[in-house]
Amino acid sequence: VKVALLEQFSFGHEHGSSHGNSRIYRMCYDDQVYSRMGIRSLNGWKTIEKESNSKLLYQVGGLDFGYEKDMQKVIGVCQANQIHHELLNASELKKKFPHINAPEGYVGVFQKDAGILNAVEAVKTLIALAKKQGAHLFEKTTLDQILPSSTKKGCYDICTTSGRIFTTKKIVMCAGAWTKKLLKQVIPSYSVNLKAVQMSYLSWKVNSDYLDHYRNGPLFIHWGPFKVENDDDSTSGFKRDLGYYGFPIFEPESGNFHFKASAH
């Protein structure tokens, strides 16, 4: 076995962050690393769509907006990474996107390549392509510990709770919300400060006057510090940098008159 994928649940499960029909794909970030990853991944998604003859990425465009002072990092990253974008002032925002509230002093960055990635279908497609290219996939397989191999020098033994052992030179760990627990198991001396937070979203009913804008409009992300009140996690009372985000009408379960949005 050259490549083995171990999954503690069933493939396509609902316990992680890759469940659901919509995830944001974008290049515009306030961070250079994330932005460059977004740029590099676009060709990857296009290749995956071509090889699988499927549609996964819906490029509806993305709008980042907020007061000019809160948008400087996003604008700077777009310019530094030479991302093609349209910079809009408040009046231009209102004209191009009348469903977006843009008071005086707001600016917007519209980027045409951003879009909606169908997460559920993406996972199914990646599993199918991995199998096609010879990878061996094991679901309901839980990691117990990782040890220096007892049989091969320079390798590691991945021990599972069922007693099966996989010996390998390289390990890629993508544990998501279980990262802290997993690291504690395999590297007891290593401590990392991570906290898993469950994010929720709402489906908002769209006023009939704005239906066309939400059906055909872009993803949107509002930037700007805001204070969290009555929050039950450790960030209560602190200012966060990202206000909220939303999708055009896309989620099948939300019906034809609702859009998905959430605080972040």
Side-chain angles (χ1 to χ4, degrees), residues 23-42 45 57 62-65 70-85 109-111 113-115 117 219 221 223 241-242 245 247 264:
R23 292 294 185 277
I24 292 177
Y25 164 79
R26 58 190 172 116
M27 301 178 185
C28 295
Y29 286 88
D30 63 342
D31 181 273
Q32 287 276 8
V33 175
Y34 276 96
S35 178
R36 288 195 292 265
M37 287 195 296
I39 294 168
R40 290 180 61 186
S41 69
L42 182 57
W45 286 116
L57 179 61
L63 174 67
D64 293 74
F65 66 104
D70 298 321
M71 289 290 295
Q72 289 307 303
K73 286 186 179 180
V74 175
I75 295 170
V77 169
C78 286
Q79 292 173 341
N81 289 341
Q82 298 182 327
I83 299 169
H84 183 269
H85 65 282
V109 172
F110 176 71
Q111 209 287 313
D113 297 305
L117 187 66
L219 302 158
I221 298 177
W223 292 86
D241 291 330
L242 181 57
Y245 65 92
F247 294 74
H264 194 287

Side-chain angles (χ1 to χ4, degrees), residues 2-13:
K2 289 186 177 181
V3 177
L5 173 64
L6 312 184
E7 165 60 60
Q8 65 174 324
F9 302 112
S10 299
F11 293 129
H13 64 82

